[in-house]
Amino acid sequence: MELHSQPTKAHANLEPVNNPTGTTGLIAVDKLGDAILFFDPATLELQKRIDFKNHHEVTVSPDRTLAFVSEFGKFFAGNFIESGAHVTVVDLATQSVIKRIPTGDFKGPHAMRFDANGQLWVIFEETGELGLIDTDKMELVETHDIGAAGGRPPFIEITPDGSRIYVSCKLGNLIVFDVASRAVVTNIEVPRGTEDIAMSPDGRRFYAAENTKQDLLEIDVETNTILRSIPLKGAVMSNPKTSRLIRLRFSPDGKYLVSTNYVSGVMHIHDAADPADHNMIAIAKGPQGMAFEADSAHVVVSNHDCGLFTRIHLETATAVDCVPAGKGVEALTFY
């Protein structure tokens, strides 16, 4: 089958492109179960399983026809014990793998974001480069040394206008990459590293989860300076040398910022206008990925360590449902 039936279209606002939702389906990456899973978007019942090892993150194309799943590899006891070097392409209509994009010497692909031309940026956590996949050719066509080698960069975020990409590093500073010049323009000093990052829908602020105190850093995009550090309720003492795995994501309507804290076993629902105003919810062990329902009323959270999905009602900050979901899902998204 053809991978694209129409030329790539430009997108003026990337916020809905890179913050997907929908009512057609739900795709998830079962990291512990070595599988790509499909669920009914209403009942959360498993529909299909595709066996695949060592995949971590998933995003869907702007037209919601394809999913891209990063083959990260396997990390254990401070080392990569298996290297990943592919991005797997899944046809969402047939729920089948149609392409494996090799990344060669660039190892550990993890988070991915689309640019204004519908091309896919990917960060390589093991080797540290930022790469670009041509989604028409289905090839890795660019890689850039951003100074992240050894820093374990897991996540990227792109501004809604597509002009800059922000890169988090577990073991280093935040990196700011200019898309037009294809160059790093600055580093934002965070000596002990960060986990996930999220861009506000208006593109004026972005937020990063600091890896020691587990504070939420609010950063001004225009000046690339940290405006404030927001303590998160319920953060427990833990070893800062191990990954805290705090995930961040804005709801599609822009009303909420949600953070999950893997080591603390809690999640937070923040007022997007002032994330210091937040509620804490204790949920099942090992919360990680999030998928927002299309009406922004609920978010589904993957509980990686106990094989569950928990559905949260955002306005009342309450858990309303809990269902079995694979062995250990890391990432998921509606489409």
Side-chain angles (χ1 to χ4, degrees):
M1 67 173 292
E2 292 184 5
L3 298 180
H4 274 267
S5 58
Q6 297 179 349
T8 299
K9 296 180 180 180
H11 298 273
N13 180 10
L14 294 177
E15 195 279 329
V17 171
N18 287 309
N19 196 23
T21 186
T23 59
T24 302
L26 174 66
I27 184 173
V29 183
D30 190 350
K31 184 177 75 178
L32 296 185
D34 287 328
I36 299 169
L37 306 178
F38 291 88
F39 296 88
D40 182 281
T43 66
L44 302 182
E45 292 181 0
L46 181 65
Q47 294 180 321
K48 187 172 182 179
R49 171 190 172 97
I50 305 172
D51 291 328
F52 257 105
K53 287 182 60 179
N54 295 342
H55 285 62
H56 277 208
E57 296 298 307
V58 59
T59 191
V60 295
S61 60
D63 63 5
R64 305 298 189 258
T65 62
L66 302 175
F68 295 82
V69 189
S70 54
E71 182 194 50
F72 174 78
K74 187 166 290 186
F75 189 84
F76 180 75
N79 296 288
F80 282 89
I81 58 174
E82 293 181 30
S83 290
H86 290 85
V87 173
T88 298
V89 186
V90 178
D91 180 82
L92 291 173
T94 62
Q95 298 181 346
S96 60
V97 172
I98 57 174
K99 179 73 175 179
R100 295 263 286 151
I101 303 171
T103 61
D105 293 333
F106 307 100
K107 308 294 186 182
H110 201 249
M112 300 162 286
R113 289 291 184 269
F114 287 94
D115 68 13
N117 296 313
Q119 307 305 303
L120 187 66
W121 289 91
V122 56
I123 190 68
F124 294 97
E125 185 173 327
E126 181 176 354
T127 52
E129 301 84 8
L130 182 64
L132 181 67
I133 290 174
D134 186 313
T135 55
D136 296 308
K137 298 178 180 178
M138 292 295 174
E139 296 177 0
L140 180 68
V141 293
E142 294 180 26
T143 56
H144 301 275
D145 182 353
I146 57 172
R152 293 198 57 207
F155 295 107
I156 59 174
E157 194 59 89
I158 192 167
T159 54
D161 64 2
S163 62
R164 288 186 174 182
I165 295 172
Y166 290 81
V167 183
S168 69
C169 290
K170 292 176 182 287
L171 305 175
N173 297 328
L174 289 158
I175 298 167
V176 186
F177 180 85
D178 183 78
V179 173
S181 64
R182 297 296 204 260
V184 173
V185 292
T186 192
N187 283 260
I188 302 170
E189 187 174 351
V190 188
R192 295 188 183 273
T194 53
E195 288 288 342
D196 205 1
I197 52 182
M199 184 68 57
S200 64
D202 63 9
R204 298 178 60 190
R205 302 279 188 272
F206 86 97
Y207 295 86
E210 193 268 344
N211 198 32
T212 301
K213 294 181 179 179
Q214 304 167 71
D215 286 356
L216 190 64
L217 305 179
E218 184 176 72
I219 299 166
D220 181 79
V221 171
E222 184 175 349
T223 61
N224 291 313
T225 56
I226 297 173
L227 300 176
R228 57 176 172 165
S229 182
I230 301 169
L232 295 177
K233 298 174 183 178
V236 301
M237 298 294 289
S238 59
N239 186 351
K241 294 183 179 180
T242 61
S243 182
R244 301 295 176 80
L245 295 177
I246 296 176
R247 298 269 187 149
L248 305 172
R249 193 173 168 196
F250 281 91
S251 59
D253 63 3
K255 186 175 180 179
Y256 302 101
L257 172 64
V258 177
S259 59
T260 58
N261 190 319
Y262 175 85
V263 73
S264 295
V266 301
M267 63 176 291
H268 303 91
I269 300 174
H270 305 257
D271 181 343
D274 180 12
D277 181 5
H278 63 279
N279 294 315
M280 183 188 75
I281 307 173
I283 57 174
K285 185 179 178 183
Q288 281 210 35
M290 291 167 276
F292 286 89
E293 295 184 354
D295 62 2
S296 292
H298 296 86
V299 61
V300 176
V301 179
S302 63
N303 299 110
H304 174 276
D305 286 13
C306 53
L308 297 173
F309 285 161
T310 304
R311 181 184 264 126
I312 307 295
H313 186 249
L314 291 166
E315 185 176 359
T316 59
T318 56
V320 296
D321 198 9
C322 186
V323 298
K327 188 175 181 180
V329 170
E330 174 155 342
L332 66 161
T333 184
F334 288 102
Y335 59 89

